[in-house]
Amino acid sequence: MRGWWQELAGLVLPVDCAGCGALRVLVCADCRDALSGAGEGPVRPSPRPAGLPVVRAAAVYEGAVRSLLLAHKERGALPLAGVLGAALAAAVLAGGRGGAGGAGDVVLVPVPSARRQVRARGHDPARRIALAAAGRLRRAGVPARVAPVLGLRRAVADQAGLGARQRRENLTGALAVRRGGWRLTAGAARIVLVDDLITTGATLAEAARAVRAAGLVAGVAAGPGAVLRAAVVAAPADSFRRIERAPRH
């Protein structure tokens, strides 16, 4: 009920840009540009957690991008899911269309939030952004759907304030694919783990472990099953990695 009222209020009441404070606009042109995907690229935390798949991010987590993500996640600015979903879709598109031959659907698997967090926030941020991204991908001609197959199988501590090693220890073995999850991912050429943000990579690495353990993918690279990738809206600037190009002769 809380989420419904927040979304309705955001649509009908005057608001200021959640990114920079520009008056009477949900997201101003400059902040939209920051989430346009123009800065999209591969990211890799250092140290890189074992099992982390290839990750693409749409923007650097700073300034307006940081403000927009926090407004959506923590302050219930639910209409922002549209622009954040468009950014996520850009990162997904940059990762390629699919696995063997490119045939089949792109299936977005959102990283789940703990139930207590969903209750406190009134919504599940990653799932909401994933749904918006899937809609954007379909409008771009890419068959895409959301499969919320991951769930927490034990309680985990709040990740805020934890270092990389502590986050890995906190999350190891915490996620699992729900019973019958294979049905929701059937026919996928590419399974893309999605979240709003990557920091240490511990959450996406644990999500990847759970998906592989359930047999939904063949591995990190192409194989007899779906290809596994990950995409996020934003990442810290020092996580972006330049792609080395072979010298021309």
Side-chain angles (χ1 to χ4, degrees):
M1 213 38 192
R2 176 187 169 192
W4 185 84
W5 278 108
Q6 286 173 328
E7 190 152 15
L8 180 62
L11 290 172
V12 301
L13 297 178
V15 295
D16 297 338
C17 175
C20 66
L23 298 178
R24 300 182 66 83
V25 60
L26 179 64
V27 183
C28 72
D30 287 344
C31 291
R32 283 186 182 274
D33 284 346
L35 286 168
S36 67
E40 187 280 334
V43 295
R44 185 177 61 193
S46 181
R48 179 180 180 175
L52 182 70
V54 174
V55 185
R56 312 282 305 199
V60 175
Y61 185 63
E62 62 184 13
V65 172
R66 180 179 183 274
S67 296
L68 289 163
L69 281 170
L70 289 176
H72 177 258
K73 177 185 280 187
E74 305 295 350
R75 298 199 296 277
L78 304 185
L80 293 176
V83 67
L84 296 174
L88 182 62
V92 173
L93 282 171
R97 280 182 171 265
D105 294 353
V106 173
V107 175
L108 308 183
V109 175
V111 172
S113 297
R115 290 182 180 179
R116 66 180 182 278
Q117 292 176 325
V118 174
R119 288 194 297 269
R121 293 168 175 158
H123 72 124
D124 186 332
R127 184 171 181 175
R128 181 175 287 272
I129 294 172
L131 289 167
R136 179 61 66 100
L137 289 168
R138 288 192 296 270
R139 290 192 290 276
V142 178
R145 66 183 190 273
V146 176
V149 300
L150 289 174
L152 284 162
R153 63 181 184 182
R154 63 168 176 80
V156 296
D158 190 339
Q159 295 278 82
L162 298 182
R165 181 177 178 180
Q166 292 170 315
R167 289 189 178 210
R168 290 195 300 270
E169 293 172 349
N170 183 42
L171 288 169
T172 297
L175 295 177
V177 171
R178 295 187 176 96
R179 183 178 300 178
W182 62 270
R183 295 187 181 90
L184 295 178
T185 59
R190 185 160 52 110
I191 292 177
V192 185
L193 305 172
V194 296
D195 207 350
D196 57 353
L197 175 67
I198 183 173
T199 51
T200 67
T203 303
L204 287 172
E206 169 59 17
R209 182 209 58 77
V211 167
R212 293 185 185 112
L216 301 187
V217 294
V220 176
V227 175
L228 182 62
R229 294 289 185 265
V232 295
V233 175
D238 60 2
S239 292
F240 281 81
R241 296 289 182 264
R242 293 185 180 275
I243 299 174
E244 297 294 335
R245 300 185 184 277
R248 293 183 178 180
H249 296 287

